[in-house]
Amino acid sequence: MCTVIPISLTVGANRIVPTVAIPYPLGNPELTAEKEKALRRQLVIAGLQALETPVDGQKVFEQ
Amino acid sequence: MAERKFRVVHYLNQFFGQVGGEDKANIPPEARDGALGPGMGLKAALGPEAEIVGTVICGDGYFAENIETATAQTMELVKKFNPDLVVAGPAFNAGRYGTACGAVCVAAQEQLKIPALTAMFAENPGVDLYKKELYIVATGDSAASMRQALPKMAALMLKLLRGESIGHPDEEGYIARGIRKNIIADKPGAARAVDMLVAKVKGEPFTSELPMPKFDRVAPNPPIKDMTQATIALVTSGGIVPSGNPDRIEASSATKFGKYNIAGVDDLTSEAYETAHGGYDPTYANNDPDRVVPLDVLRDLEREGKIAQVFDYFYSTVGNGTSVANSAQFGAEIAQDLKEAGVDAVLLTST
């Protein structure tokens, strides 16, 4: 789960879920606490779904 | 009074030390006076300025199985010769021998404060372990390249003994150590970059000033079949650590990772956790570390039965200028630990 997708692709990650920003990949300080946690939940669920998905090489799971 | 010759001690394994083959691989270190085996060729290449005063021989098996003891025993024997330099090998593509050569040379540098040098094939595992700390002359993969290796080793040894500056790896024949040196160039960087680009477009050869590291490719693992039965671990390169950074993980160029118990922890609070990472603005992570390691929502999903459980530990390092070699080692160690603990999958978060 990362923000700079080209780095994850370069280093060879196979399941890649794009995140929000470098200093807060799984959050957004501009949102209310409640909305921020909902966003984080959505990203973590996307991560778990990526882990449940068969891949035959590198795959970026665009939201 | 005759000018003093530099004193060199040579480290060899049981085979090149002419003790025996694999049947003698378990001999502990022993010392001989003078040069032996490849040391004879080295002696000829060194000329009158330096003398191989002694040779220390150890079995490859003994060394590999008792690295610390064998290194200490070897150093005791080396020290008695009062050397100005230690040379080891060449080890070619022999992994145990290469590792021993590297360990002996690093110990000589650190404990005896004298220069040391070894030689091996680029793919010898000793190279990745020691190239940052040592001059390792590049050889072929077998003793067939002995004749080419010894003069290169001797030339570099003499430079080290004389205290001369060591040139570029390509000129001196050693394996690049990843050291950057300031030099005066004829043209500014922009002009050199354009020259390179023009050469590339024309299909002419050019040499990059900053070669990119090579990364592994790993076949993807099969997916998780039933997430409700899965144990999920959290791993991050974003530097989240307990407040105070108890393991002193470096803010950049990390040499270690931390493993932290989160059994019973529902949320990574700003009081109890912070980031050690020096490569991004830490404000947001320090205010809410869940923004980097999403423990709070993973606990919710655990309570809801969407996953079986969150693994009791999370792992953290700082991915800021951290070498590929260190990162690969952290990854291997963490993966091994997770496998042994029966973890099914990992959410790896990166800043």
Side-chain angles (χ1 to χ4, degrees):
Chain A
M1 307 194 71
C2 75
T3 305
V4 191
I5 306 298
I7 295 180
S8 295
L9 288 169
T10 304
V11 301
N14 287 320
R15 292 179 174 88
I16 301 169
V17 175
T19 54
V20 180
I22 291 172
Y24 41 87
L26 291 131
N28 185 347
E30 288 177 15
L31 301 176
T32 62
E34 198 181 319
K35 281 189 174 163
E36 185 179 18
K37 193 169 172 190
L39 167 72
R40 178 153 57 248
R41 181 182 168 98
Q42 184 196 321
L43 286 165
V44 168
I45 287 173
L48 295 176
Q49 283 169 349
L51 289 168
E52 292 173 294
T53 308
V55 295
D56 51 13
Q58 292 188 295
K59 183 175 168 69
V60 180
F61 292 81
E62 299 288 355
Q63 296 295 298
Chain B
M1 197 178 85
E3 205 176 315
R4 182 183 175 277
K5 282 188 176 188
F6 290 119
R7 298 171 66 84
V8 172
V9 172
H10 194 186
Y11 174 85
L12 293 172
N13 71 356
Q14 83 284 354
F15 177 72
F16 288 104
Q18 301 173 358
V19 176
E22 198 57 34
D23 56 318
K24 298 286 184 192
N26 287 316
I27 62 156
E30 56 186 65
R32 307 280 173 83
D33 288 328
L36 185 72
M40 300 307 288
L42 211 47
K43 181 180 168 179
L46 284 168
E49 229 179 309
E51 186 183 1
I52 300 180
V53 292
T55 303
V56 176
I57 303 161
C58 179
D60 281 336
Y62 182 86
F63 205 104
E65 286 160 21
N66 310 279
I67 292 178
E68 279 177 32
T69 315
T71 305
Q73 290 169 328
T74 302
M75 280 303 107
E76 280 308 308
L77 297 172
V78 167
K79 222 187 303 183
K80 287 183 186 153
F81 290 107
N82 192 25
D84 301 304
L85 178 142
V86 169
V87 61
F92 306 107
N93 201 21
R96 290 176 307 176
Y97 189 21
T99 307
C101 286
V104 167
C105 287
V106 167
Q109 290 183 161
E110 286 176 357
Q111 296 168 25
L112 309 183
K113 312 288 179 204
I114 56 172
L117 175 138
T118 183
M120 54 189 102
F121 181 55
E123 289 173 21
N124 189 311
V127 169
D128 274 347
L129 284 171
Y130 297 110
K131 69 178 175 188
K132 276 164 67 180
E133 294 159 276
L134 277 183
Y135 288 109
I136 303 177
V137 169
T139 72
D141 63 356
S142 78
S145 63
M146 182 74 83
R147 211 160 41 89
Q148 292 80 23
L150 296 180
K152 285 189 219 166
M153 291 168 74
L156 200 53
M157 286 164 69
L158 288 171
K159 282 196 164 187
L160 288 168
L161 285 165
R162 294 179 197 132
E164 291 174 5
S165 68
I166 306 298
H168 195 271
D170 287 346
E171 295 159 20
E172 307 276 7
Y174 65 89
I175 294 169
R177 299 175 59 180
I179 295 171
R180 290 187 201 172
K181 254 183 165 173
N182 288 326
I183 56 162
I184 306 288
D186 300 334
K187 293 177 176 179
R192 300 202 303 278
V194 171
D195 286 349
M196 256 187 255
L197 181 62
V198 170
K200 186 174 181 173
V201 170
K202 284 187 183 166
E204 291 170 359
F206 65 95
T207 307
S208 170
E209 294 180 18
L210 190 65
M212 294 301 289
K214 291 190 181 70
F215 298 103
D216 284 346
R217 283 291 176 268
V218 179
N221 272 333
I224 298 291
K225 287 203 183 74
D226 184 357
M227 195 53 84
T228 65
Q229 296 302 309
T231 299
I232 306 293
L234 290 164
V235 180
T236 189
S237 61
I240 302 298
V241 292
S243 293
N245 189 10
D247 292 321
R248 303 245 161 249
I249 297 177
E250 299 88 342
S252 71
S253 304
T255 62
K256 55 195 145 189
F257 64 86
K259 174 182 178 182
Y260 303 110
N261 193 327
I262 44 170
V265 179
D266 264 356
D267 185 9
L268 299 184
T269 62
S270 59
E271 290 76 34
Y273 295 88
E274 64 186 19
T275 181
H277 200 293
Y280 65 86
D281 180 349
T283 316
Y284 312 102
N286 285 342
N287 286 345
D288 185 357
D290 293 293
R291 286 171 174 154
V292 177
V293 176
L295 180 64
D296 57 350
V297 301
L298 206 56
R299 284 284 182 221
D300 290 345
L301 295 167
E302 178 185 51
R303 271 189 290 270
E304 295 163 23
K306 300 258 190 334
I307 62 170
Q309 60 168 331
V310 181
F311 182 52
D312 280 347
Y313 296 86
F314 81 96
Y315 298 75
S316 181
T317 190
V318 165
N320 180 27
T322 301
S323 71
V324 174
N326 278 356
S327 306
Q329 196 190 330
F330 301 163
E333 287 177 26
I334 293 170
Q336 186 61 35
D337 211 35
L338 293 171
K339 268 172 83 172
E340 282 167 13
V343 169
D344 297 294
V346 174
L347 289 176
L348 176 69
T349 59
S350 145
T351 47

